[in-house]
Amino acid sequence: MERVVHLAGLLRRPLVGGDGEVVGRLSDLIVRLRGRDYPLVTGLVARVGGREVFLPAEQVADLEGQRITLVSPRVDLRHFERREGEVLLRADVLGHRVIDVADVELVRAYDIELEQRPDGWMVTCLDTRRPPRLRGVMGGRGGQPDWRDWKSFEPLIGHTRSARVRGPFARLGRLKPADLADLLEEANRTESHEILQTVHADPELEADVFEELEPDSQLRLLRERTDAEIAQVIARMRADDAADAINELPQARRQPVLDALPAGQRTKVLTLMGFNPSSAGGLMALDVLTATGSARVAEALRAAGEARTLQPEALTSVYLVGEEKQLLGVITLVELLQADPKAPLEDVVDRDPVRAGPDTDVEDVALLMTDYNLLTVPVVDDEDRILGVITVDDVLDAVIPEDWRRREPAPRPPHHADEPTPGPPPHDTPPHS
């Protein structure tokens, strides 16, 4: 028969010896992290005579019932001092926020479930549903406890005391950049610092995450870095997003960051900074897949396959250009796949592509995309030379009203792709350690 207790109900319970004498009261439980295994209870913190003392787990005969029974009433009265890597369930987890990996949100742990297994008592579940008695005070949902596997969460986020023994949050690196950006925008300073430390291990992912951040959050996180560190992130961002990021920096920091960028990225960023940020020129991507009229369909497809440095959202079409880069036509990749591989491009392209000038308002670009069912629109100068391409994701980002962004997000569908493989559920046959 499974033996389960809940931390909220254990706290302040009396600790009694075999003779029934009250020794003290439970103040906290100490656990040892074990990687992918459930944390194991290694001791208790008891309040005895006005001080907190340590009791090893082996001294506990029973955690169930209205009293916690000890093997012996003898207690070492030296003041409890936390050791490196120890986690205190009440002080460090209960009431603190954890990351729900499947739903990609920060939630609070309102109770902790422990189960007795052959190795001892271990943490198996968290309850993140606010108790009914707190609804009126704190707002939000409440109701019956919602016990979920400990392994569904990244607990101890922002908890520096245990960072060394926990290691990096490997599962966070598998989340989408937009999801990580959402977490950062919701996190406090300590939490966001630790999330960023994990993301920083993958520079490309770090740049993608900063691209997804709202401008105020992006600026808040960038301002805490040196100019060289900002440049390292911006160097890997898309040029249009990099230009926006630099424009948001305080005036005194813009030029030092620009000077620290690689020459190629600096040139692109300076080009885009010359346009109104809300115009087609300010939003366009400068890298475009072009071909000349003498090229054939097969060559264009091969070029698309090899264009690994181009922004994927911009790689929906191939643009036919003349000797002076004048825009002569466009063909989508789908149309290329369906065309005769030996056919010349000039025979299969649309000779009158929809286009926009660099000063075109983003709202007008959005209307063009809607009217012609486009994912991208080329941007051309007065001589019809192609300057870049504006993508639908950038247009949506610019035209979605600000109050829409603050709406409560729609419920996420069931999602298990990023979940760990936790083994048997907490109340099934215990795993071997």
Side-chain angles (χ1 to χ4, degrees), residues 70 114 246 303 318 361:
L70 304 179
L114 301 104
I246 291 177
V318 176
D361 289 337

Side-chain angles (χ1 to χ4, degrees), residues 153-226:
F153 304 95
E154 288 286 8
L156 304 165
I157 180 67
H159 184 256
T160 55
R161 289 179 180 270
S162 61
R164 187 175 301 175
V165 293
R166 278 187 285 121
F169 294 150
R171 286 182 292 168
L172 294 190
R174 297 199 298 269
L175 296 179
K176 292 179 172 58
D179 292 334
L180 289 166
D182 288 343
L183 285 176
L184 284 168
E185 288 167 356
E186 187 183 351
N188 61 36
R189 183 171 182 173
T190 305
E191 293 165 343
S192 62
H193 177 71
E194 187 158 345
I195 294 172
L196 280 175
Q197 277 190 319
T198 300
V199 173
H200 184 67
D202 183 342
E204 296 298 333
L205 174 62
E206 181 180 39
D208 291 342
V209 169
F210 270 91
E211 288 178 356
E212 297 291 344
L213 287 168
E214 292 297 317
D216 56 343
S217 298
Q218 185 187 82
L219 177 60
R220 172 175 55 84
L221 295 172
L222 284 178
R223 289 179 71 166
E224 296 178 356
R225 303 189 175 200
T226 66

Side-chain angles (χ1 to χ4, degrees), residues 28-51:
D28 215 328
L29 289 178
I30 306 166
V31 297
R32 173 167 53 87
L33 302 179
R34 302 188 299 166
R36 293 178 64 85
D37 288 333
Y38 295 104
L40 181 68
V41 175
T42 58
L44 287 67
V45 180
R47 180 162 289 277
V48 178
R51 68 170 59 191

Side-chain angles (χ1 to χ4, degrees), residues 286-304:
L286 295 176
D287 295 321
V288 185
L289 184 58
T290 61
T292 61
S294 61
R296 299 189 178 273
V297 168
E299 294 174 89
L301 283 171
R302 184 165 55 252

Side-chain angles (χ1 to χ4, degrees), residues 240 272 275-286 355-365 368 377-380 387-391 394-395:
D240 55 328
L272 292 170
F275 297 107
N276 186 323
S278 62
S279 69
L283 292 175
M284 68 182 175
L286 295 176
R355 66 200 78 191
D359 297 325
T360 304
D361 289 337
V362 66
E363 290 82 0
D364 291 331
V365 177
L368 283 175
V377 171
V379 181
V380 298
L387 302 174
V389 62
I390 186 168
T391 61
D394 285 331
V395 170

Side-chain angles (χ1 to χ4, degrees), residues 8 18 55 57 106 161 306 316 357 386:
L55 282 77
L106 284 158
R161 289 179 180 270
E306 295 172 352
T316 63
I386 190 164

